[in-house]
Amino acid sequence: ENTNQESLAFMKRNLGLSKTINPEFVTAQAIYNIIKLPFASKVESFNSGFEMLEINFKSESLEGKTISEIREEFKIKFLIAALSRDGETYIPNGSFQLKCGDKLGIVAREQDLSQIIKLFGIEHKSIKNVMIFGGSRTAVYLAQMLAKGRINTKIIEKSEDRCEEVCSRRSQSGASVQTRMHSECAQIHAGSQDPQLHPQSDKRGDR
C-alpha cells in the first residue's frame, strides 16, 4: 500500500502530472473522517494539519456572542469560513453574532477540534475500537489511519495469503499488524511496535 503511494509520486514527478489520485486512499480518508467526526456533515482534511468541517452551533451559553469575543475569551484559533442561517448564507467577520441552529463551516487545526466541538455544544463520544471486514487495500489504508488516531482496529480476512501479506506490512505511524485466519483476524494496535501472530481456537478445533 505504501508502495502504491510511492509509485504515484514517482509518476507525478517523471511524467509531469499536475495531480495524481489514489482512489483507495481517498475512500479510506472519507471513511476515517466519518469515524473520527461523525457529527460533522462534511469534513475536508489538509496536509497542513488543518481540518474544514460543517457543524451545527448548539451552545446556548455562547449564543449572542461575536466570533471575536469567543476567540478572545477561550484563547482558541478558528475561522468560520461560511455560516448558514434561515436559508441565507453569510461570510461572517469577527463582529458576527452566533445563534443556536447556525450551520458553520469551520477551519481549525486538528488538535483544536475537540475543544471547539465541546465549546460549541456538540456532544461527541470518541470511538475506540473498529472492525473491518475484508483485507483490501482500502481497508489497510483505513486501518493505518485509525492506528495513527489511536483507535484499535481489527481486519477480518478469509484469505490466509492476504492475511500474511497484511501482517507483513507496517504503517508509517509505527503501528504493527497482527493476523489470524477464520477465528483469527489481522489486528492493528495503535502504538505497538512488532508484528505478532496470535492463533486462536474455534469450535472446529485448533488450526
Side-chain angles (χ1 to χ4, degrees), residues 125-138:
K125 185 177 180 180
S126 298
I127 295 173
K128 300 297 184 184
N129 300 285
V130 170
M131 182 176 289
I132 303 171
F133 289 89
S136 66
R137 183 175 291 164
T138 300

Side-chain angles (χ1 to χ4, degrees), residues 54-116:
E54 187 176 291
I55 60 173
N56 290 318
F57 182 76
K58 299 180 179 181
S59 176
E60 295 182 359
S61 62
L62 296 181
E63 187 171 24
K65 289 193 174 186
T66 68
I67 296 171
S68 293
E69 287 172 343
I70 295 172
R71 288 197 193 112
E72 179 63 27
E73 182 177 350
F74 296 95
K75 307 299 181 185
I76 186 168
K77 295 180 179 180
F78 63 88
L79 171 68
I80 298 181
L83 182 149
S84 179
R85 178 188 295 171
D86 299 328
E88 297 290 334
T89 300
Y90 304 88
I91 307 298
N93 57 24
S95 62
F96 200 98
Q97 292 179 317
L98 299 181
K99 292 184 178 180
C100 288
D102 287 347
K103 183 172 287 187
L104 312 178
I106 292 183
V107 179
R109 295 182 304 175
E110 185 176 1
Q111 60 265 36
D112 293 332
L113 286 180
S114 59
Q115 184 180 353
I116 293 171

Side-chain angles (χ1 to χ4, degrees), residues 10 19 31-32 43 91 95 122 138 155 160:
F10 176 82
K19 186 176 182 63
I31 297 171
Y32 175 65
V43 180
I91 307 298
S95 62
I122 299 170
T138 300
I155 301 176
E160 187 169 6

